[in-house]
Amino acid sequence: MPIRSLVASALFAVVASLGCNFIMNPDGDGVFRCDNPDDCDVPLQDALADRRGQSRCAAAGGGGGGFTQSQDNKVCSVLDKEDVSCNPAPYANDDSVPVAKAYNDALDETGAYSCAQELYGSAGCPPNGSACNEGLEVRTYETLSGDADNPEATEVRVCAPKGVAAVAGNSAVRGFDVLDQHCRSYFCDDAFVCNRGNGSSSGWRCVRCDPDKAYGNGGCGTMYLQGAPSTVYTDDLGGDACDDVASADKTEFGPVVPAPVLNP
C-alpha cells in the first residue's frame, strides 16, 4: 500500500503543535522519519483513514548499513492491518453480523463441501481416475487436515482451470469460502484469505495469501464447490461494494452454495 505524502509545510505545523518525535528529512524527499510507530500516525493519517492499514516505524532496509538502516533514522511505512479477525467462534449463535449469518448458513449446507462421484473430474473435485474434464488440469496443493489425530497439512489433488488456485471443500475447511470472502471484502482485495494459524485465539487473522503455505493457514486459493467457484465470493471488490472505511461487521457475501439434493 503506497504512503500518501503530505505537504511539508502543513506537516511541520501539525508536528510542531503536537510536540512528537517525528523527523522530516531536510532534503524534502517525502520520507517520514520516526522513533516509534506513534510518530507515524499523524503524517500517515490519510493513508490509515480507511482502517485497512497500520503504521510501522522501522529501518528502511537494504544492504550496506547506511543512513536508512540506522536505528536512529527509522522511517514510517504502511502495512496491511494485522488484527482483522476471521474467527467464526464469537458468532456461533449470532446472525446479526453478515459474516456470522453467511458462515452459519454455509454450515447448514454441509453436503456442498464434498463431491459426489458423478462430479469427479470437474473443477474443485478429485480427478476421475487420473483425468480431469476438458479444459481442466490436476492441481496439487496442501490444505488443513480433517484428521483430528493428524492435524498437520495434507496434500490434495483437485481438478482446476489452468492457472487457477482452485481448492476443494472438505470437513476441515468447511465454511472457509465465507471466511476468505470476509477478508476479501474487508480489504477490497481478493488476495486476502483467512489464516487459522494454530487455531488458538492468536490465530484466525486475515492475511495476504502466500502460495507457499497450506490453504487454511495463509495459503492462496479460491474454493470450488459442486463444480464451480463458491457463490459467496463477490466480484465487485474495490468497486461500489468497497466502503470508504472498512468494518468487520459490514462485510458482504453472495449466497452460500446449497447442498445437492440426493435422489431418493
Side-chain angles (χ1 to χ4, degrees):
M1 182 182 296
I3 299 175
R4 301 174 188 173
S5 297
L6 303 179
V7 179
S9 59
L11 180 59
F12 277 124
V14 173
V15 171
S17 67
L18 295 179
C20 64
N21 296 323
F22 167 78
I23 304 170
M24 183 71 176
N25 187 301
D27 294 333
D29 60 4
V31 175
F32 304 115
R33 310 205 183 277
C34 54
D35 288 335
N36 59 70
D38 291 343
D39 297 341
C40 304
D41 290 345
V42 169
L44 300 183
Q45 60 184 333
D46 284 354
L48 301 174
D50 64 3
R51 298 183 59 200
R52 295 181 177 95
Q54 63 186 49
S55 62
R56 180 179 71 169
C57 176
F67 174 77
T68 57
Q69 278 196 307
S70 168
Q71 290 302 302
D72 294 328
N73 290 288
K74 295 180 288 188
V75 300
C76 295
S77 60
V78 177
L79 306 177
D80 297 326
K81 194 169 178 62
E82 296 176 341
D83 61 354
V84 180
S85 174
C86 55
N87 187 351
Y91 308 122
N93 298 301
D94 180 5
D95 280 356
S96 64
V97 179
V99 63
K101 176 169 174 41
Y103 184 75
N104 292 333
D105 286 350
L107 296 188
D108 288 340
E109 303 291 346
T110 298
Y113 291 86
S114 60
C115 288
Q117 184 73 39
E118 57 266 27
L119 286 176
Y120 279 25
S122 62
C125 293
N128 189 2
S130 59
C132 294
N133 294 349
E134 184 177 356
L136 304 177
E137 61 186 6
V138 177
R139 175 177 184 252
T140 301
Y141 66 98
E142 287 193 334
T143 187
L144 298 179
S145 171
D147 184 352
D149 296 325
N150 180 25
E152 298 302 319
T154 186
E155 192 172 86
V156 173
R157 296 173 73 243
V158 66
C159 291
K162 293 180 179 179
V164 175
V167 299
N170 61 44
S171 59
V173 295
R174 187 170 63 244
F176 262 71
D177 51 335
V178 173
L179 302 182
D180 287 347
Q181 171 58 22
H182 171 67
C183 297
R184 291 180 176 197
S185 178
Y186 185 97
F187 285 96
C188 296
D189 189 336
D190 62 9
F192 282 84
V193 294
C194 179
N195 179 10
R196 188 197 68 166
N198 59 9
S200 68
S201 57
S202 61
W204 300 102
R205 292 290 183 267
C206 293
V207 299
R208 195 175 292 273
C209 77
D210 183 340
D212 294 327
K213 293 184 177 179
Y215 178 73
N217 277 348
C220 301
T222 294
M223 189 175 290
Y224 276 62
L225 300 175
Q226 306 304 305
S230 172
T231 50
V232 303
Y233 300 122
T234 57
D235 295 330
D236 195 20
L237 296 174
D240 294 339
C242 185
D243 293 334
D244 291 338
V245 178
S247 172
D249 292 341
K250 296 180 180 179
T251 49
E252 299 190 9
F253 305 84
V256 302
V257 177
V261 177
L262 300 177
N263 293 326

